[in-house]
Amino acid sequence: MSTSTTPSSHALQKVTVLGTGVLGSQIAFQTALSGFDVTAYDISDDVIATAKTRFSELAKVYEKEVPAAAGKTEEILGRITFSSVLADAVADADLVIEAAPEVLDIKRKIYAELAEAAPAKTIFATNSSTLLPSDIKDATGRPEKFLALHFANKIWQYNTAEVMGTTETDPAVFDAVVEFASQIGMVPIPLHKEKAGYVLNSLLVPWLNAGLGLAAGGYAEPEDIDNVWQIGTGAPFGPFRAIDIIGLNTPYNILVHSTPEGQKLAAWLKENYIDKGKLGVASGEGFYVYDKPAD
Ligand code: NAD
């Protein structure tokens, strides 16, 4: 059990983000934009080198799309420290936000290491889209300071932050994380109890899978499925454009660990897209072709 005092939002100054992929980079940048000191951790120096390029690309997007970042992206990047040594990355962290791959075993292993490496004061938050914090909490060594803080892709634009604890999460920790989410420009959505997929993915995942089922089943082409959704509902994009934005690996990882029907969709995604390097917007091609990465 932790012996530190009850946290307040005021205390959450030093933030470490684990994983510098699609979401981790966005969370780190958005947090630094809001004036916090951020450490971005990933597993090796090679991955960190890739991450630095990713952050530079992200800075250009912020420069263009986020008025508060215009002319300040160098200063924002200056608040981000990169590390591939977990013990250093979390040594003085008030809050660790984990955005590692959506694989339960990987996440549990990370939390077991974190439990040892982080000081007692540190709150752990997972950005997992599909796992429940209850699936992980015993690995953290501090279930009272563990909860989910779930962002949506393109957090500067789709700025919800779903906050979901377990029955063991300290309400003061929950409140501090809700407050932190506000401080970094998110609209916090507190969930009253655990729900796989939170609010957003309880709606989104069945929609994406329905689209994949239609295409993988040979009923219609991805573009036509997107078109009918857009024309029929007035929505700005359909499921395949959404998967391109999310990145194909995330739905793949979810589906490959799901039902036999879901595994068929995963195999279809792998064979037709992932194995061909079509990973979505970030790789320049997914279901659609993009001019250049990170557009
Ligand atoms: P990603 O594959 O783009 O990035 C994952 C990162 O984690 C990589 O940089 C990888 O090197 C790193 N990593 C691997 N092993 C690690 C370890 N042991 N410790 C720390 N980092 C490690 O994935 P992503 O799309 O950013 O997703 C990350 C998390 O965010 C997942 O839990 C996912 O469910 C969630 N999420 C994703 C989206 C989305 O749209 N992509 C949206 C909301 C939430």
Side-chain angles (χ1 to χ4, degrees):
M1 282 292 268
S2 148
T3 52
S4 67
T5 52
T6 304
S8 69
S9 61
H10 185 65
L12 305 185
Q13 289 299 324
K14 294 192 174 165
V15 180
T16 298
V17 180
L18 303 187
T20 57
V22 175
L23 257 286
S25 57
Q26 295 179 16
I27 297 165
F29 199 91
Q30 180 71 30
T31 304
L33 162 69
S34 311
F36 291 82
D37 291 328
V38 180
T39 301
Y41 165 86
D42 216 306
I43 49 173
S44 70
D45 289 339
D46 283 353
V47 180
I48 292 290
T50 310
K52 287 183 178 166
T53 311
R54 187 190 283 278
F55 275 77
S56 300
E57 291 299 320
L58 192 55
K60 289 182 203 158
V61 176
Y62 267 79
E63 186 76 51
K64 228 171 25 188
E65 297 186 17
V66 182
K72 292 190 185 148
T73 51
E74 281 308 311
E75 183 189 324
I76 295 163
L77 286 169
R79 283 198 282 275
I80 303 173
T81 306
F82 291 90
S83 174
S84 61
V85 180
L86 187 66
D88 293 349
V90 301
D92 194 26
D94 298 310
L95 173 65
V96 169
I97 303 172
E98 169 269 308
E102 190 69 348
V103 178
L104 180 60
D105 289 348
I106 294 180
K107 297 216 192 261
R108 287 185 59 88
K109 191 161 170 282
I110 289 170
Y111 283 101
E113 287 167 17
L114 258 185
E116 298 294 318
K121 68 170 181 174
T122 313
I123 295 172
F124 301 160
T126 180
N127 183 45
S128 173
S129 292
T130 60
L131 302 167
L132 290 175
S134 281
D135 298 334
I136 303 172
K137 68 178 177 182
D138 61 305
T140 68
R142 60 186 79 186
E144 76 287 355
K145 287 203 177 73
F146 174 63
L147 76 180
L149 172 62
H150 182 243
F151 298 92
N153 192 23
K154 295 197 172 186
I155 69 173
W156 61 93
Q157 188 179 355
Y158 306 117
N159 61 332
T160 56
E162 297 179 277
V163 185
M164 184 170 84
T166 73
T167 52
E168 288 182 69
T169 307
D170 179 345
V173 167
F174 188 95
D175 292 347
V177 172
V178 167
E179 180 60 21
F180 167 78
S182 285
Q183 288 171 337
I184 62 165
M186 300 294 109
V187 177
I189 311 293
L191 272 86
H192 303 313
K193 53 185 176 176
E194 283 188 284
K195 169 81 178 97
Y198 313 83
V199 174
L200 179 63
N201 282 320
S202 295
L203 298 167
L204 181 63
V205 172
W207 177 67
L208 299 179
N209 288 347
L212 288 170
L214 287 167
Y219 296 100
E221 292 303 315
E223 270 183 61
D224 292 327
I225 296 166
D226 276 4
N227 267 339
V228 80
W229 181 259
Q230 284 174 252
I231 297 166
T233 67
F237 50 73
F240 292 95
R241 185 74 69 179
I243 294 173
D244 271 359
I245 295 168
I246 293 164
L248 272 65
N249 275 328
T250 294
Y252 173 78
N253 280 330
I254 296 167
L255 288 164
V256 88
H257 293 98
S258 70
T259 59
E261 198 51 44
Q263 287 166 15
K264 280 188 206 158
L265 299 179
W268 178 83
L269 266 179
K270 183 172 186 307
E271 186 186 333
N272 293 287
Y273 297 93
I274 293 172
D275 283 352
K276 295 177 179 166
K278 298 178 182 180
L279 301 176
V281 176
S283 74
E285 185 170 0
F287 295 100
Y288 298 89
V289 177
Y290 300 89
D291 289 344
K292 58 182 166 63
D295 260 3

